[in-house]
Amino acid sequence: MTFANVGTLGALPGRRDEIVTILTRLNADLAEAGCLLYEVGVNEDAPDTVFVAELWESAEAHRASLQLESVRSAIAEAMPLLSGEMGGERFEVVGSPLRA
Amino acid sequence: MTFANVGTLGALPGRRDEIVTILTRLNADLAEAGCLLYEVGVNEDAPDTVFVAELWESAEAHRASLQLESVRSAIAEAMPLLSGEMGGERFEVVGSPLRA
């Protein structure tokens, strides 16, 4: 069942865009690991926050992706730029009004 | 610029699945209005909450969609089932590691 992970990552002041650069770097491993969508964004009303919206083939595929070397390396690179504040929601997709 | 709206809708006790049914009913107006993705889901750890993750061609397209007759009618139908608790985030998409 499609799994969604949507959330926020707090950035240290002024470091948001560096985190965005790390998270948006092309990573072919993700699709192979079952990632269906991975959108990264910003909101100027919250200038020290990075937003992510992810869809995965399953919760297990998402969990397993965190062990990929390329993902571990990106997390290690972003870690010193993060404030530690994190938020978000995880859910199982039931359907969409865009499809029957 | 692609706009994301992700959030939660609180349901009155036991009414969550009725809201899900309303929100996932096929609506051809949405794609025409610039809706790129509209996933509706649940999480059994939060049994009175409906989760949504939407992508739109622009924030303006999202705003305008709220005036569509089919959307107003769905909102009116869901309203009596909602607790009034709402949460979420809106952001502008900057990129994705799934595409160059």
Side-chain angles (χ1 to χ4, degrees):
Chain A
M1 190 180 260
T2 302
F3 169 79
N5 183 48
V6 301
T8 55
L9 300 170
L12 292 176
R15 313 304 294 271
R16 179 193 73 185
D17 291 351
E18 293 167 77
I19 299 168
V20 167
T21 297
I22 295 165
L23 293 180
T24 57
R25 200 177 289 148
L26 187 62
N27 182 347
D29 292 347
L30 295 177
E32 202 171 328
C35 186
L36 305 170
L37 180 96
Y38 197 125
E39 302 297 325
V40 181
V42 300
N43 180 332
E44 295 313 329
D45 294 339
D48 294 321
T49 301
V50 178
F51 297 81
V52 296
E54 308 164 35
L55 292 178
W56 293 83
E57 286 173 8
S58 66
E60 175 49 37
H62 174 252
R63 206 161 24 236
S65 76
L66 301 174
Q67 300 307 321
L68 291 170
E69 179 52 36
S70 56
V71 171
R72 291 169 61 95
S73 153
I75 292 170
E77 191 179 350
M79 199 65 83
L81 308 171
L82 298 172
S83 69
E85 284 178 87
M86 300 180 79
E89 307 285 356
R90 292 165 173 216
F91 62 92
E92 297 290 340
V93 172
V94 177
S96 167
L98 298 183
R99 46 180 194 268
Chain B
M1 191 181 256
T2 302
F3 170 77
N5 182 47
V6 300
T8 56
L9 300 170
L12 291 177
R15 313 303 295 270
R16 179 194 71 185
D17 291 351
E18 291 168 77
I19 299 168
V20 167
T21 297
I22 295 166
L23 293 180
T24 55
R25 201 177 289 149
L26 187 63
N27 182 346
D29 291 348
L30 295 177
E32 201 170 329
C35 186
L36 305 170
L37 180 96
Y38 197 126
E39 302 298 325
V40 180
V42 300
N43 180 332
E44 295 312 330
D45 293 339
D48 294 322
T49 302
V50 178
F51 297 82
V52 297
E54 307 165 34
L55 292 178
W56 293 82
E57 285 173 7
S58 65
E60 176 49 37
H62 173 253
R63 205 159 29 233
S65 75
L66 300 175
Q67 300 308 321
L68 292 170
E69 180 52 36
S70 56
V71 171
R72 291 168 62 96
S73 155
I75 291 170
E77 191 178 351
M79 199 66 82
L81 309 171
L82 298 172
S83 69
E85 285 178 86
M86 301 180 77
E89 309 284 354
R90 292 165 173 217
F91 62 91
E92 297 290 340
V93 172
V94 176
S96 168
L98 297 184
R99 44 181 195 268

